[in-house]
């Protein structure tokens, strides 16, 4: 009997990468590989890398280096590296120089070629390094192996045109390229038919979906409208949304459709207009706050979350205090706070007044503590409220766990069906979990 070959994929970074790993898995499964849960059992190990912060890159170098021993004891093991890191030539050189045991290197633009590279390597056993500078046409035929049975991610566009001064993404992911609207709608229809309950549309800036297509009807608002009108018991989410491009029309579509999630992630990055200007975000503190006001007026049950970078070059205590005051004013349901990390080739890399690490640490801790205490206060107000809950699984102790539209975990101690939406009344809060009872 032929031995079944196994694969292990290690994914770093954002949801886009998580979804791209589903494409890598799809190609591996189509070649007869099955997934395994640790590196030691694998015949193929793929590192799908991230370069958004220095820490992420150092982690990849460390983890790849740690494979040297395994590769020695298992010479037939195939090690492949892809993702945002490999779109940078100097990083590829480091992999080639320092980790000669790496067999396949490819980039984000030629991810769909992985299957061919693996077939080729299995024939020749010659290392294969190929990174494209640009993507050819969007490949609609990549196999996919989805990791969740309830949550599905759907790319609606690739790349970014914004060039925020700290960000490496436009350099490694290229310019914006939108998928054809009908292809997206067909993919979503198929997912609903398969029983997926949460569909998340993905793009670096979903609000500019369609800007590169010469048809005024191809807009993010129309895409949301069209998908939200499909039959089926599903909810529609999206990420990420650039505040400068969030239109009234999109806000109206969200407000008017019960199928579109009211949890909106709207990265502000800083509360200081001076810092926003040097970040090249193209909006001011006042514009952002006006936008939030508009959203809250039209979508009263909106749940807003955000990303914030602290310690951007030139950020003074006053600038940081403006961020803190903005966070309080918006009253976010969650803040993802990061310390600024210098990225090679970006405009911010050479800016004067880089902030020392100890100040960055202090600021990020203050921000995250504030967010934690805000979440605690908001959770208290949920007691007695009825929320929609999607039941995800049954635990060994017989209880069921579910999740709200805003991503809060809910424990239900009653008999319910997995993969079903229920209304549930919150009885108590334990830690970060809501304890609730089904409303009949
Ligand atoms: S919008 Fe700005 S932060 Fe987001 S991917 Fe594009 S350049 Fe990076």
């Amino acid at each position: 009997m032929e031995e079944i070959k196994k694969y292990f994929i290690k994914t770093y970074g954002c949801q886009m990468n998580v979804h791209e790993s589903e494409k890598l898995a799809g190609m591996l499964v189509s070649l007869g590989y099955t997934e395994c849960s640790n590196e030691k059992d694998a015949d193929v190990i793929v590192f799908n890398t991230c370069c958004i912060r220095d820490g992420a890159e150092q982690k990849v170098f460390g983890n790849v280096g740690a494979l040297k021993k395994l590769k020695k004891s298992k010479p037939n093991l195939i090690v492949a590296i892809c993702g945002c890191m490999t779109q940078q030539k100097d990083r590829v050189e480091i992999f080639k120089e320092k980790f000669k045991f790496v067999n396949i290197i490819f980039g984000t633009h030629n991810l769909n070629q992985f299957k061919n590279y693996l077939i080729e390597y299995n024939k020749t056993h010659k290392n294969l390094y190929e990174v494209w500078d640009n993507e050819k046409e969007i490949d609609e035929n990549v196999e996919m192996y989805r990791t969740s049975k309830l949550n599905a991610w759907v790319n609606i566009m690739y790349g970014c045109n914004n060039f925020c001064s700290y960000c490496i993404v436009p350099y490694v992911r290229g310019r914006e390229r939108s998928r054809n609207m009908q292809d997206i709608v067909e993919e979503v229809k198929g997912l609903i038919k398969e029983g997926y309950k949460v569909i998340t549309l993905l793009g670096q800036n979903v609000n500019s979906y369609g800007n590169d297509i010469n048809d005024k009807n191809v807009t993010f608002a129309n895409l949301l409208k069209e998908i939200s009108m499909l039959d089926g018991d599903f909810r529609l989410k999206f990420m990420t949304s650039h505040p400068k491009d969030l239109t009234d029309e999109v806000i109206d579509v969200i407000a008017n459709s019960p199928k579109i999630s009211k949890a909106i992630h709207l990265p502000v990055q800083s509360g200081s207009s001076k810092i926003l200007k040097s970040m090249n975000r193209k909006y001011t503190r006042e514009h952002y706050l006006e936008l939030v006001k508009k959203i809250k007026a039209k979508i009263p049950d909106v749940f807003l979350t955000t990303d914030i970078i602290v310690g951007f070059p030139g950020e003074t205590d006053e600038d940081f205090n403006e961020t803190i005051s903005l966070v309080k004013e918006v009253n976010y349901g969650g803040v993802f706070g990061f310390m600024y990390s210098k990225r090679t080739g970006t405009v911010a890399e050479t800016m004067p007044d880089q902030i020392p690490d100890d100040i960055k640490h202090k600021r990020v801790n203050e921000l995250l503590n504030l967010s934690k205490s805000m979440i605690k206060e908001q959770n208290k107000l949920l007691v007695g409220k009825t929320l929609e809950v999607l039941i995800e699984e049954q635990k060994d102790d017989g209880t069921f766990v579910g999740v709200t539209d805003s991503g809060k975990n809910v424990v239900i101690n009653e008999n319910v069906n997995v993969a079903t939406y229920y209304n549930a009344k919150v009885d108590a809060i334990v830690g970060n979990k809501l304890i609730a009872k089904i409303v009949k």
Side-chain angles (χ1 to χ4, degrees), residues 317-386:
D317 283 343
E318 289 71 40
D319 295 318
F320 177 66
N321 288 338
E322 286 200 70
T323 298
I324 292 288
S325 85
L326 181 135
V327 168
K328 287 181 184 163
E329 187 168 340
V330 177
N331 194 22
Y332 291 109
V335 174
F336 299 87
F338 305 96
M339 290 184 289
Y340 167 71
S341 174
K342 231 188 213 187
R343 302 288 66 209
T344 317
T346 59
V347 172
E349 184 198 7
T350 52
M351 281 184 181
D353 303 324
Q354 298 279 335
I355 306 297
D357 278 355
D358 57 332
I359 295 182
K360 285 186 199 164
H361 278 287
K362 201 174 132 276
R363 288 180 185 165
V364 85
N365 286 338
E366 185 179 335
L367 179 66
L368 295 180
N369 285 337
L370 170 65
S371 171
K372 250 190 237 159
S373 66
M374 282 165 56
I375 292 172
K376 222 169 161 189
E377 288 307 308
Q378 290 164 7
N379 281 353
K380 279 189 207 157
L381 299 177
L382 292 177
V383 176
K385 290 239 161 78
T386 298

Coordinates of all heavy atoms in Angstrom, one line a residue, residues 317-386:
D317 N 4.1 63.1 23.5 CA 3.2 62.7 24.5 C 1.8 63.3 24.1 O 0.8 62.6 24.3 CB 3.6 63.2 25.9 CG 4.7 62.3 26.4 OD1 4.9 61.2 25.9 OD2 5.4 62.8 27.4
E318 N 1.8 64.5 23.6 CA 0.5 65.2 23.3 C -0.2 64.4 22.2 O -1.4 64.2 22.2 CB 0.7 66.6 22.8 CG 1.2 67.6 23.9 CD 2.6 67.4 24.4 OE1 3.5 67.1 23.5 OE2 2.8 67.4 25.6
D319 N 0.6 64.0 21.2 CA 0.0 63.2 20.1 C -0.6 61.9 20.6 O -1.7 61.5 20.3 CB 1.0 62.8 19.0 CG 1.6 64.0 18.3 OD1 0.8 64.9 18.0 OD2 2.8 64.1 18.1
F320 N 0.1 61.2 21.5 CA -0.4 60.0 22.0 C -1.6 60.2 22.9 O -2.6 59.4 22.8 CB 0.7 59.3 22.9 CG 0.2 58.0 23.5 CD1 -0.1 56.9 22.7 CD2 0.1 57.9 24.9 CE1 -0.6 55.8 23.3 CE2 -0.3 56.8 25.5 CZ -0.7 55.7 24.7
N321 N -1.6 61.3 23.6 CA -2.8 61.6 24.4 C -4.0 61.9 23.6 O -5.2 61.6 23.9 CB -2.5 62.8 25.3 CG -1.6 62.4 26.5 OD1 -1.5 61.3 26.8 ND2 -0.9 63.4 27.1
E322 N -3.8 62.4 22.4 CA -4.9 62.6 21.4 C -5.5 61.2 21.0 O -6.7 61.1 20.8 CB -4.4 63.4 20.2 CG -4.2 64.9 20.5 CD -4.2 65.7 19.2 OE1 -5.3 65.8 18.6 OE2 -3.2 66.1 18.8
T323 N -4.6 60.3 20.8 CA -5.0 58.9 20.5 C -5.9 58.3 21.6 O -7.0 57.8 21.4 CB -3.8 58.0 20.2 OG1 -3.1 58.5 19.1 CG2 -4.2 56.6 19.9
I324 N -5.4 58.5 22.8 CA -6.1 58.0 24.0 C -7.5 58.7 24.1 O -8.5 58.0 24.3 CB -5.3 58.2 25.3 CG1 -4.1 57.4 25.3 CG2 -6.2 58.0 26.6 CD1 -4.3 55.9 25.5
S325 N -7.5 60.0 23.8 CA -8.8 60.6 24.0 C -9.8 60.2 22.8 O -11.0 60.1 23.0 CB -8.7 62.2 24.0 OG -8.6 62.7 22.7
L326 N -9.2 59.9 21.6 CA -10.1 59.5 20.5 C -10.6 58.1 20.9 O -11.8 57.8 20.6 CB -9.3 59.4 19.2 CG -10.0 59.0 18.0 CD1 -9.8 59.9 16.8 CD2 -9.7 57.5 17.6
V327 N -9.8 57.2 21.4 CA -10.3 55.9 21.8 C -11.4 55.9 22.8 O -12.4 55.3 22.6 CB -9.1 55.0 22.4 CG1 -9.6 53.7 23.0 CG2 -8.1 54.7 21.3
K328 N -11.3 56.8 23.7 CA -12.4 57.0 24.7 C -13.6 57.5 24.1 O -14.7 57.1 24.3 CB -11.9 57.9 25.8 CG -10.9 57.3 26.8 CD -10.5 58.3 27.9 CE -9.4 57.7 28.8 NZ -8.8 58.7 29.6
E329 N -13.4 58.5 23.2 CA -14.6 59.2 22.5 C -15.4 58.2 21.7 O -16.6 58.1 21.7 CB -14.1 60.4 21.7 CG -15.3 61.2 21.2 CD -14.9 62.5 20.6 OE1 -13.8 63.0 21.0 OE2 -15.7 63.1 19.8
V330 N -14.6 57.4 20.9 CA -15.3 56.4 20.0 C -15.9 55.3 20.8 O -16.9 54.7 20.5 CB -14.4 55.9 18.9 CG1 -15.0 54.8 18.1 CG2 -13.8 57.0 18.1
N331 N -15.3 55.0 22.0 CA -15.7 53.9 22.8 C -15.7 52.5 22.0 O -16.7 51.8 21.9 CB -17.1 54.1 23.4 CG -17.4 53.2 24.6 OD1 -16.5 52.6 25.2 ND2 -18.6 53.0 24.8
Y332 N -14.5 52.2 21.5 CA -14.4 51.0 20.7 C -14.7 49.8 21.5 O -14.4 49.7 22.6 CB -12.9 50.9 20.2 CG -12.5 51.9 19.2 CD1 -11.6 52.9 19.5 CD2 -12.9 51.8 17.8 CE1 -11.2 53.8 18.6 CE2 -12.5 52.8 16.9 CZ -11.6 53.8 17.3 OH -11.2 54.7 16.4
G333 N -15.2 48.7 20.7 CA -15.4 47.4 21.3 C -14.1 46.6 21.4 O -14.0 45.6 22.0
G334 N -13.1 47.1 20.8 CA -11.8 46.4 20.8 C -10.7 47.2 20.1 O -11.0 47.9 19.0
V335 N -9.5 47.3 20.6 CA -8.4 48.0 20.0 C -7.2 47.1 19.8 O -6.8 46.4 20.7 CB -7.9 49.2 20.9 CG1 -6.7 49.9 20.3 CG2 -9.1 50.2 21.1
F336 N -6.8 47.0 18.6 CA -5.6 46.2 18.3 C -4.4 47.2 18.2 O -4.3 48.0 17.3 CB -5.7 45.4 17.0 CG -6.8 44.5 17.0 CD1 -8.1 44.9 16.6 CD2 -6.6 43.2 17.4 CE1 -9.2 44.0 16.7 CE2 -7.7 42.3 17.5 CZ -9.0 42.7 17.1
G337 N -3.6 47.2 19.3 CA -2.5 48.2 19.4 C -1.2 47.6 19.0 O -0.9 46.4 19.4
F338 N -0.4 48.3 18.3 CA 0.9 47.8 17.8 C 2.0 48.9 18.0 O 1.7 50.1 17.9 CB 0.9 47.4 16.3 CG -0.2 46.5 16.0 CD1 -1.4 46.9 15.5 CD2 0.0 45.1 16.1 CE1 -2.4 46.1 15.2 CE2 -1.0 44.2 15.8 CZ -2.2 44.7 15.3
M339 N 3.2 48.4 18.3 CA 4.3 49.4 18.3 C 4.8 49.6 16.9 O 5.0 48.6 16.2 CB 5.4 48.8 19.2 CG 5.0 48.8 20.6 SD 6.4 48.3 21.7 CE 6.5 46.6 21.3
Y340 N 5.1 50.8 16.5 CA 5.6 51.1 15.2 C 6.9 50.3 15.0 O 7.8 50.2 15.8 CB 5.9 52.6 15.0 CG 6.7 52.8 13.8 CD1 6.2 52.7 12.5 CD2 8.1 53.2 13.9 CE1 6.9 52.9 11.4 CE2 8.9 53.4 12.7 CZ 8.3 53.2 11.5 OH 9.0 53.4 10.4
S341 N 7.0 49.6 13.8 CA 8.2 48.8 13.4 C 8.7 49.3 12.1 O 7.9 49.4 11.1 CB 7.7 47.3 13.4 OG 8.8 46.5 12.9
K342 N 9.9 49.7 12.1 CA 10.6 50.2 10.8 C 10.6 49.2 9.7 O 11.0 48.0 10.0 CB 12.0 50.5 11.2 CG 12.5 51.9 10.8 CD 14.0 51.9 11.1 CE 14.4 53.3 11.5 NZ 15.9 53.4 11.6
R343 N 10.1 49.5 8.6 CA 10.1 48.5 7.4 C 11.0 49.1 6.3 O 10.8 50.2 5.8 CB 8.7 48.3 6.9 CG 7.7 47.7 7.9 CD 7.9 46.3 8.3 NE 9.1 46.0 9.0 CZ 9.8 44.9 9.0 NH1 9.4 43.9 8.3 NH2 10.9 44.7 9.7
T344 N 11.9 48.3 5.9 CA 12.8 48.7 4.8 C 12.1 49.1 3.6 O 11.2 48.4 3.1 CB 13.8 47.5 4.4 OG1 14.2 46.8 5.6 CG2 14.9 47.9 3.6
G345 N 12.5 50.3 3.1 CA 11.9 50.8 1.8 C 10.7 51.6 1.9 O 10.2 52.2 1.0
T346 N 10.2 51.7 3.1 CA 9.0 52.6 3.3 C 9.5 54.0 3.6 O 10.6 54.3 4.0 CB 8.1 52.1 4.5 OG1 8.9 52.1 5.7 CG2 7.6 50.7 4.3
V347 N 8.5 55.0 3.4 CA 8.9 56.4 3.7 C 9.2 56.6 5.1 O 10.2 57.4 5.4 CB 7.7 57.3 3.2 CG1 7.9 58.7 3.6 CG2 7.5 57.2 1.7
A348 N 8.5 56.0 6.0 CA 8.7 56.3 7.5 C 10.1 55.8 8.0 O 10.5 56.2 9.0 CB 7.6 55.7 8.3
E349 N 10.7 54.9 7.2 CA 11.9 54.3 7.6 C 13.0 55.3 7.9 O 13.8 55.2 8.9 CB 12.4 53.3 6.6 CG 13.7 52.6 7.0 CD 14.4 52.0 5.8 OE1 14.1 52.2 4.6 OE2 15.4 51.2 6.0
T350 N 13.0 56.4 7.1 CA 14.1 57.4 7.2 C 13.6 58.7 7.9 O 14.3 59.7 7.9 CB 14.6 57.7 5.8 OG1 13.5 58.0 5.0 CG2 15.4 56.6 5.2
M351 N 12.4 58.6 8.4 CA 11.9 59.8 9.1 C 12.7 60.1 10.4 O 13.1 59.2 11.1 CB 10.4 59.6 9.5 CG 9.4 59.8 8.4 SD 7.7 59.7 8.9 CE 6.9 59.9 7.4
P352 N 12.9 61.4 10.7 CA 13.6 61.7 11.9 C 12.7 61.5 13.1 O 11.5 61.1 13.0 CB 13.8 63.2 11.8 CG 12.8 63.7 10.8 CD 12.4 62.6 9.9
D353 N 13.3 61.6 14.3 CA 12.5 61.5 15.6 C 11.9 60.1 15.7 O 10.7 60.0 16.0 CB 11.4 62.6 15.7 CG 11.9 63.9 15.6 OD1 13.1 64.2 16.1 OD2 11.3 64.8 15.0
Q354 N 12.7 59.1 15.4 CA 12.2 57.7 15.7 C 12.1 57.6 17.3 O 12.8 58.2 18.0 CB 13.2 56.7 15.2 CG 13.4 56.7 13.7 CD 12.3 56.0 12.9 OE1 11.7 55.1 13.4 NE2 12.1 56.4 11.6
I355 N 11.1 56.9 17.7 CA 10.7 56.8 19.1 C 11.4 55.6 19.8 O 11.4 54.5 19.2 CB 9.2 56.7 19.3 CG1 8.5 57.8 18.6 CG2 8.8 56.6 20.8 CD1 8.8 59.2 19.1
P356 N 12.1 55.8 20.9 CA 12.8 54.7 21.6 C 11.8 53.6 22.0 O 10.6 53.9 22.3 CB 13.4 55.3 22.8 CG 13.3 56.8 22.7 CD 12.2 57.1 21.7
D357 N 12.3 52.4 22.1 CA 11.5 51.2 22.4 C 10.7 51.3 23.7 O 9.6 50.9 23.9 CB 12.3 49.9 22.4 CG 12.5 49.4 20.9 OD1 11.8 50.1 20.0 OD2 13.2 48.5 20.7
D358 N 11.4 51.8 24.8 CA 10.8 51.9 26.1 C 9.6 52.8 26.1 O 8.5 52.4 26.7 CB 11.8 52.3 27.2 CG 12.4 53.6 26.9 OD1 12.6 54.0 25.7 OD2 12.8 54.3 27.9
I359 N 9.6 53.8 25.3 CA 8.4 54.7 25.2 C 7.3 54.0 24.4 O 6.1 54.0 24.8 CB 8.8 56.1 24.6 CG1 9.7 56.8 25.5 CG2 7.5 56.9 24.3 CD1 10.1 58.2 25.0
K360 N 7.7 53.3 23.4 CA 6.7 52.5 22.6 C 6.0 51.5 23.5 O 4.8 51.4 23.5 CB 7.3 51.8 21.4 CG 7.8 52.7 20.3 CD 8.3 51.7 19.2 CE 9.1 52.5 18.2 NZ 9.9 51.6 17.3
H361 N 6.8 50.8 24.3 CA 6.2 49.8 25.2 C 5.2 50.4 26.2 O 4.1 49.9 26.4 CB 7.3 49.1 26.0 CG 8.0 48.0 25.2 ND1 7.4 46.8 25.0 CD2 9.2 47.9 24.7 CE1 8.2 46.0 24.3 NE2 9.3 46.7 24.1
K362 N 5.7 51.5 26.8 CA 4.8 52.2 27.8 C 3.5 52.6 27.1 O 2.4 52.4 27.7 CB 5.6 53.4 28.3 CG 5.1 53.9 29.6 CD 6.0 55.0 30.1 CE 5.3 56.2 30.6 NZ 4.8 57.2 29.7
R363 N 3.6 53.2 25.9 CA 2.4 53.7 25.3 C 1.4 52.5 24.9 O 0.2 52.6 25.0 CB 2.7 54.5 24.0 CG 3.3 55.9 24.5 CD 3.7 56.7 23.3 NE 4.3 58.0 23.8 CZ 5.0 58.8 23.0 NH1 5.1 58.6 21.7 NH2 5.5 59.9 23.5
V364 N 2.0 51.5 24.3 CA 1.1 50.4 23.9 C 0.5 49.7 25.1 O -0.7 49.3 25.0 CB 1.9 49.3 23.0 CG1 2.6 48.3 23.8 CG2 0.9 48.7 22.0
N365 N 1.2 49.6 26.2 CA 0.6 49.0 27.4 C -0.6 49.9 27.9 O -1.6 49.4 28.3 CB 1.6 48.9 28.5 CG 2.5 47.7 28.2 OD1 2.2 46.8 27.4 ND2 3.7 47.7 28.8
E366 N -0.4 51.2 27.9 CA -1.4 52.1 28.4 C -2.7 51.9 27.5 O -3.8 51.8 28.0 CB -0.9 53.6 28.3 CG -1.9 54.5 28.9 CD -1.4 56.0 28.9 OE1 -0.2 56.2 28.9 OE2 -2.3 56.9 28.9
L367 N -2.4 51.9 26.2 CA -3.5 51.8 25.2 C -4.3 50.4 25.4 O -5.5 50.4 25.5 CB -2.9 51.8 23.8 CG -3.9 51.7 22.7 CD1 -4.9 52.9 22.6 CD2 -3.2 51.6 21.3
L368 N -3.5 49.3 25.5 CA -4.2 48.0 25.6 C -4.9 47.9 27.0 O -6.0 47.3 27.0 CB -3.2 46.9 25.4 CG -2.6 46.9 24.0 CD1 -1.6 45.7 23.8 CD2 -3.7 46.7 22.9
N369 N -4.3 48.5 28.0 CA -5.0 48.4 29.3 C -6.4 49.2 29.3 O -7.4 48.8 29.8 CB -4.2 49.0 30.5 CG -3.1 48.0 30.8 OD1 -3.3 46.8 30.6 ND2 -2.0 48.5 31.4
L370 N -6.3 50.4 28.6 CA -7.5 51.2 28.4 C -8.6 50.3 27.7 O -9.7 50.3 28.1 CB -7.2 52.5 27.6 CG -8.4 53.3 27.2 CD1 -9.2 53.8 28.4 CD2 -8.0 54.4 26.3
S371 N -8.1 49.7 26.6 CA -9.1 48.9 25.8 C -9.7 47.8 26.6 O -10.9 47.6 26.6 CB -8.3 48.3 24.6 OG -9.2 47.4 23.9
K372 N -8.8 47.1 27.4 CA -9.3 46.0 28.3 C -10.4 46.5 29.2 O -11.4 45.9 29.4 CB -8.2 45.5 29.1 CG -7.8 44.1 28.6 CD -6.8 43.5 29.6 CE -5.5 43.1 28.9 NZ -4.3 43.0 29.7
S373 N -10.1 47.7 29.9 CA -11.1 48.2 30.9 C -12.4 48.6 30.1 O -13.5 48.5 30.7 CB -10.5 49.2 31.8 OG -10.2 50.4 31.0
M374 N -12.3 49.2 28.9 CA -13.5 49.6 28.2 C -14.3 48.3 27.9 O -15.6 48.4 28.0 CB -13.1 50.3 26.9 CG -12.7 51.8 27.2 SD -11.8 52.6 25.8 CE -13.0 52.4 24.5
I375 N -13.7 47.3 27.4 CA -14.4 46.0 27.1 C -15.1 45.5 28.3 O -16.3 45.1 28.2 CB -13.4 45.0 26.5 CG1 -12.9 45.4 25.2 CG2 -14.1 43.6 26.3 CD1 -11.8 44.6 24.6
K376 N -14.4 45.5 29.4 CA -15.1 45.0 30.7 C -16.3 45.8 31.0 O -17.4 45.2 31.3 CB -14.0 45.2 31.8 CG -14.0 44.0 32.8 CD -12.8 44.2 33.7 CE -13.0 43.3 34.9 NZ -11.9 43.6 35.8
E377 N -16.3 47.1 30.9 CA -17.4 48.0 31.2 C -18.5 47.7 30.2 O -19.7 47.6 30.5 CB -17.0 49.5 31.1 CG -16.2 49.9 32.3 CD -16.8 49.6 33.6 OE1 -18.0 49.9 33.8 OE2 -16.1 48.9 34.4
Q378 N -18.2 47.5 28.9 CA -19.2 47.3 27.9 C -19.8 45.9 28.1 O -21.1 45.8 27.9 CB -18.6 47.3 26.5 CG -18.1 48.7 26.0 CD -17.2 48.7 24.8 OE1 -16.9 47.6 24.3 NE2 -16.6 49.8 24.5
N379 N -19.0 44.9 28.5 CA -19.6 43.6 28.7 C -20.7 43.6 29.8 O -21.7 43.0 29.7 CB -18.5 42.6 29.1 CG -17.8 42.1 27.8 OD1 -18.2 42.4 26.7 ND2 -16.7 41.4 28.0
K380 N -20.4 44.4 30.9 CA -21.3 44.5 32.0 C -22.7 44.9 31.5 O -23.7 44.5 32.0 CB -20.8 45.5 33.0 CG -19.8 44.9 34.0 CD -19.5 46.0 35.1 CE -18.1 45.8 35.6 NZ -17.7 47.1 36.3
L381 N -22.7 45.8 30.5 CA -24.0 46.4 30.0 C -24.7 45.4 29.2 O -25.9 45.6 28.8 CB -23.7 47.6 29.2 CG -23.0 48.8 29.9 CD1 -22.7 50.0 28.9 CD2 -23.9 49.3 31.0
L382 N -24.1 44.3 28.8 CA -24.7 43.2 28.0 C -25.6 42.3 28.8 O -26.5 41.7 28.3 CB -23.7 42.4 27.3 CG -22.9 43.1 26.2 CD1 -21.9 42.1 25.6 CD2 -23.8 43.6 25.1
V383 N -25.4 42.3 30.1 CA -26.3 41.4 31.0 C -27.7 41.9 30.9 O -28.1 43.0 31.0 CB -25.8 41.5 32.5 CG1 -26.7 40.6 33.3 CG2 -24.4 41.0 32.6
G384 N -28.6 40.9 30.5 CA -30.0 41.2 30.4 C -30.4 41.4 28.9 O -31.5 41.5 28.6
K385 N -29.4 41.6 28.0 CA -29.6 41.9 26.6 C -29.8 40.6 25.8 O -29.2 39.6 26.2 CB -28.5 42.7 26.0 CG -28.4 44.1 26.5 CD -28.5 45.1 25.4 CE -28.8 46.5 25.8 NZ -27.7 47.2 26.4
T386 N -30.6 40.6 24.8 CA -30.7 39.5 23.9 C -29.9 39.7 22.6 O -30.0 40.7 22.0 CB -32.2 39.3 23.5 OG1 -32.9 39.0 24.7 CG2 -32.4 38.1 22.6

